[in-house]
Amino acid sequence: MSQMNPVTIDKFLGVNKSETETLLQLGEASESSNWIITDDNKLSKMFGYTKLFASLGNHKINGMWYGELSGIPHFIFSCNGHLYEHNLTTHANTDLGAIANTYPTTIFANNNSVYILDGNNYYKWTGSGEILLVVGYTPTVATASPPTGGGTLLESINYLTGQKTQKFSGNNDATVYQLLETNIDSVDVVKVGGVEKTVTTDYTVNLTNGTVTFVVKPPTGVNNVEITWTKVDAADRPRITKCKWFGGIYYSRLWLFGNPDYKNTRFVSGITIAGVSDPEYWPKFADSNVGKYEITDIKTQYDKQLIWTTGDSSEASAWYSTNETYTDGNSGLVVTIFPVYPINAKIGHVAPGQVQIINNNPFTIWKGIYQWVSTYVMNEKNAEWMSKRIQNDLDDLDLSKALTIDWNERGIYMLCVGKRIWCYNYRVDAWYILDIPHTPTCFLAVDGKLCFGTDNGTIMRFDESLPTYDGEKITAVWKMGFFNFGVDWLRKFIQRMFVSILPYTKTHIDITYETDLSNTSDTYTASYGLSNFETWDFSDFDFSTNYSPQPFKFKIRAKKIDYFKLVITNDETDTATVLSITIPVRTGGEIKNRN
């Protein structure tokens, strides 16, 4: 019998759900639940979470947002047809007003206000009071118009409102001023020389002809007559208000998508005459189609806008857009356009609004998880398969319902379906899995702490000081792949095992093992407790105060085996971090047939 070098696991590599677990690397787990892989590749039990407030009933949290308005932080969320502000100190909720009870509710900030898309209407909140319905910016559609009409076209009609303004240059002769539209709904404001005039007293209106007739001729001037009127096209406003997703900012414009009536269309905000992009201005005819399939997400990367759809191999599933300009031959205006070009015809994205940018590379969901990386060829990107080690878990899932978040503060990409969360520590390239008792509906990092809304009307927040999942014990299980110590033709004899754990006030792990000869073993417990008045349990009181890593030696009896698998468990309310496991092995004769 010969002595082999001891095998040491001091670098845990995460889970690998390969069908052939005998091929796993040392340190990979064939199964893992509620153990996390730290940034130094140690195995640590997942910490817990607790609810921020009592349930609002059996309703989904439809969306969340956290950020500052006028320098003051706000945490808002939607649930059961209302928008609420949550106070992180008192944990009280303030009702900000009624919205549609639809999922998802998208909330984004711009111009020092929060904007809310509920799939039915469009609201804003300025940081105080109740939410307001976004009426829409009134565009100035033409300037320097003669009384007979025409003039220089300026701003496009706004999808959100039928109201628009036209500026005329009076000639001290005409009394009748012709608007750009006929059969209008109303004339709202009339000004001459900046002074508002009164209907009937100063002017009359012909809605059919779209004219305003002055009692006194307006004097000669440049843009000295200003008329604002309304003509509503009932099909316009819903193009914006029925959008469900915010596509971020690209080239100083805001982008929306997810209108179920225009699934392949992206809508872009407009630049006002003040030279700013306005989230209340969505120019008519500025939107554009991207192929024929549903747009599922839009992200900005460097100087490009990336767009994903649910397309198939008959048409591109991933696109990029640039900004280009041309001069309109009729008006002489410089017009900005955003043409699209195909990137990939086989890989798109199926979970609306769930693309994450990780280290400047988009992570998308198709039949698995893909990372889009740039190549040396301009505007070319390769889709790299990132979910190989967990793909067997993902194959049978409806990934169109997946939720994702980049928990940037911890370097973790998370994908959730149901009550299971697959976590990718992209700092060390390791996957691990969390199994929680609640069903997330949305995720948000608030001051570095991960929060998630639930389907039963509350919000949970993870905290390293918490030992349970909102009162439920966390069962952490890690299973090593079957390992043959590099010689599958020789018998092995294992008599000892050394385990090193990090000392906490109270910590333990339970260790069992399986072999090719038996799937059961004794349970070996490595436990440690530091003296602490808050946690003293006099039934097992000791005066240990050593904060250094704690090694444990166990005698085991694994004889004449070929394959060996360790199982590490913690199912109590304490925590645990495994630093290393060392297994001295002796080899004997060749493996014999056992049938």
Side-chain angles (χ1 to χ4, degrees):
M1 184 179 297
S2 64
Q3 174 74 49
M4 291 185 65
N5 291 328
V7 172
T8 298
I9 305 174
D10 58 6
K11 187 175 183 180
F12 293 88
L13 304 176
V15 68
N16 188 336
K17 306 301 284 288
S18 170
E19 294 181 358
T20 310
E21 66 174 83
T22 57
L23 299 180
L24 301 189
Q25 296 182 65
L26 189 65
E28 286 187 322
S30 60
E31 294 182 39
S32 180
S33 176
N34 294 325
W35 288 102
I36 69 176
I37 304 300
T38 66
D39 288 347
D40 53 359
N41 286 105
K42 303 307 178 185
L43 192 66
S44 187
K45 185 181 179 182
M46 182 59 185
F47 46 87
Y49 57 73
T50 189
K51 64 172 67 71
L52 294 181
F53 51 85
S55 172
L56 297 176
N58 190 26
H59 312 288
K60 288 182 177 180
I61 301 296
N62 291 326
M64 301 186 292
W65 177 87
Y66 178 75
E68 289 189 355
L69 299 176
S70 300
I72 300 174
H74 297 278
F75 182 16
I76 64 176
F77 68 93
S78 67
C79 180
N80 192 28
H82 290 265
L83 192 74
Y84 296 92
E85 180 179 18
H86 178 73
N87 188 306
L88 288 168
T89 302
T90 66
H91 296 296
N93 294 325
T94 301
D95 192 342
L96 302 179
I99 60 175
N101 185 28
T102 53
Y103 180 80
T105 298
T106 295
I107 307 169
F108 65 93
N110 193 266
N111 284 0
N112 214 29
S113 295
V114 166
Y115 289 86
I116 303 100
L117 288 164
D118 64 4
N120 180 69
N121 225 318
Y122 189 35
Y123 303 88
K124 75 174 180 180
W125 186 62
T126 59
S128 62
E130 292 194 345
I131 58 175
L132 304 171
L133 191 69
V134 175
V135 176
Y137 167 78
T138 300
T140 299
V141 294
T143 63
S145 300
T148 54
T152 301
L153 297 179
L154 186 59
E155 295 180 314
S156 296
I157 294 172
N158 188 353
Y159 272 132
L160 286 177
T161 177
Q163 191 175 76
K164 63 276 294 182
T165 294
Q166 186 172 354
K167 293 183 178 181
F168 296 84
S169 296
N171 59 9
N172 199 32
D173 181 45
T175 58
V176 178
Y177 281 67
Q178 178 67 55
L179 302 175
L180 290 182
E181 292 181 308
T182 59
N183 296 311
I184 61 177
D185 299 329
S186 64
V187 170
D188 307 320
V189 180
V190 175
K191 294 181 180 180
V192 177
V195 178
E196 187 171 345
K197 300 299 180 180
T198 302
V199 66
T200 305
T201 302
D202 298 315
Y203 65 91
T204 58
V205 174
N206 187 314
L207 298 179
T208 301
N209 295 334
T211 58
V212 172
T213 302
F214 289 93
V215 174
V216 177
K217 301 173 184 177
T220 301
V222 178
N223 289 331
N224 62 328
V225 178
E226 186 176 311
I227 302 175
T228 300
W229 77 97
T230 297
K231 180 177 181 178
V232 174
D233 184 336
D236 281 354
R237 185 175 173 87
R239 288 178 181 252
I240 303 303
T241 61
K242 294 179 74 172
C243 288
K244 294 182 177 180
W245 298 103
F246 175 54
I249 298 175
Y250 176 65
Y251 200 69
S252 300
R253 266 81 161 182
L254 290 78
W255 299 80
L256 300 179
F257 66 99
N259 186 321
D261 300 325
Y262 302 92
K263 293 183 177 181
N264 64 337
T265 303
R266 58 182 180 151
F267 297 88
V268 58
S269 67
I271 302 295
T272 69
I273 54 176
V276 297
S277 180
D278 192 333
E280 302 182 22
Y281 180 33
W282 301 89
K284 194 169 183 176
F285 308 124
D287 48 274
S288 60
N289 294 342
V290 180
K292 62 181 180 180
Y293 293 99
E294 177 184 359
I295 295 175
T296 47
D297 216 339
I298 299 174
K299 295 292 183 184
T300 298
Q301 184 190 37
Y302 304 116
D303 63 341
K304 300 290 188 297
Q305 183 186 72
L306 304 182
I307 308 159
W308 290 271
T309 75
T310 58
D312 56 27
S313 58
S314 67
E315 183 181 82
S317 302
W319 309 73
Y320 77 90
S321 179
T322 61
N323 62 86
E324 300 176 8
T325 59
Y326 72 91
T327 301
D328 183 79
N330 295 321
S331 66
L333 295 175
V334 177
V335 180
T336 301
I337 60 173
F338 300 89
V340 295
Y341 305 94
I343 297 176
N344 193 298
K346 295 183 178 180
I347 299 173
H349 176 70
V350 296
Q354 301 303 317
V355 173
Q356 301 294 337
I357 303 295
I358 308 297
N359 291 332
N360 286 327
N361 290 334
F363 274 48
T364 64
I365 303 169
W366 189 238
K367 296 178 181 178
I369 302 168
Y370 290 84
Q371 175 183 210
W372 295 76
V373 297
S374 299
T375 70
Y376 291 107
V377 179
M378 183 177 294
N379 299 326
E380 181 177 295
K381 295 184 183 298
N382 288 336
E384 294 183 350
W385 185 29
M386 298 299 296
S387 55
K388 180 179 180 180
R389 281 167 280 171
I390 59 168
Q391 191 62 45
N392 283 337
D393 279 358
L394 305 184
D395 282 341
D396 296 328
L397 300 178
D398 181 0
L399 293 179
S400 67
K401 298 179 180 178
L403 301 173
T404 67
I405 186 173
D406 172 21
W407 193 1
N408 181 262
E409 292 83 358
R410 288 182 170 268
I412 301 170
Y413 167 84
M414 308 176 80
L415 179 143
C416 176
V417 178
K419 297 178 179 180
R420 172 164 277 199
I421 306 172
W422 290 263
C423 303
Y424 178 60
N425 184 331
Y426 49 82
R427 294 173 179 169
V428 297
D429 186 28
W431 285 98
Y432 57 87
I433 298 169
L434 305 180
D435 291 296
I436 62 177
H438 300 88
T439 302
T441 58
C442 50
F443 287 97
L444 182 69
V446 178
D447 288 335
K449 292 186 180 293
L450 182 65
C451 297
F452 66 89
T454 70
D455 60 354
N456 65 345
T458 191
I459 295 173
M460 302 292 181
R461 181 172 62 183
F462 282 95
D463 193 299
E464 289 184 328
S465 67
L466 298 175
T468 66
Y469 287 152
D470 198 39
E472 297 192 30
K473 285 185 178 180
I474 302 173
T475 298
V477 179
W478 181 90
K479 294 185 178 182
M480 174 182 174
F482 274 111
F483 189 63
N484 61 23
F485 301 92
V487 282
D488 60 354
W489 68 93
L490 295 179
R491 294 182 295 177
K492 293 91 181 175
F493 298 80
I494 304 174
Q495 296 176 310
R496 301 182 310 282
M497 176 173 55
F498 300 88
V499 178
S500 181
I501 64 175
L502 197 65
Y504 293 105
T505 300
K506 185 178 181 182
T507 182
H508 90 284
I509 57 172
D510 294 322
I511 305 171
T512 59
Y513 63 86
E514 302 174 22
T515 72
D516 55 303
L517 299 180
S518 175
N519 61 2
T520 61
S521 75
D522 294 335
T523 299
Y524 307 90
T525 299
S527 63
Y528 190 75
L530 297 174
S531 295
N532 184 306
F533 284 101
E534 295 180 358
T535 58
W536 273 359
D537 182 349
F538 288 94
S539 64
D540 60 357
F541 180 81
D542 66 43
F543 288 94
S544 299
T545 57
N546 191 345
Y547 289 89
S548 62
Q550 297 300 301
F552 294 82
K553 174 183 176 181
F554 299 104
K555 294 182 179 180
I556 62 177
R557 296 186 298 272
K559 299 180 179 180
K560 300 180 181 181
I561 66 168
D562 190 7
Y563 286 94
F564 183 82
K565 172 192 282 195
L566 278 179
V567 179
I568 303 174
T569 304
N570 178 306
D571 58 2
E572 298 297 332
T573 57
D574 57 347
T575 190
T577 296
V578 183
L579 301 177
S580 66
I581 301 170
T582 299
I583 308 170
V585 181
R586 292 183 179 273
T587 57
E590 295 180 353
I591 293 295
K592 297 181 179 179
N593 292 333
R594 293 167 181 158
N595 49 348

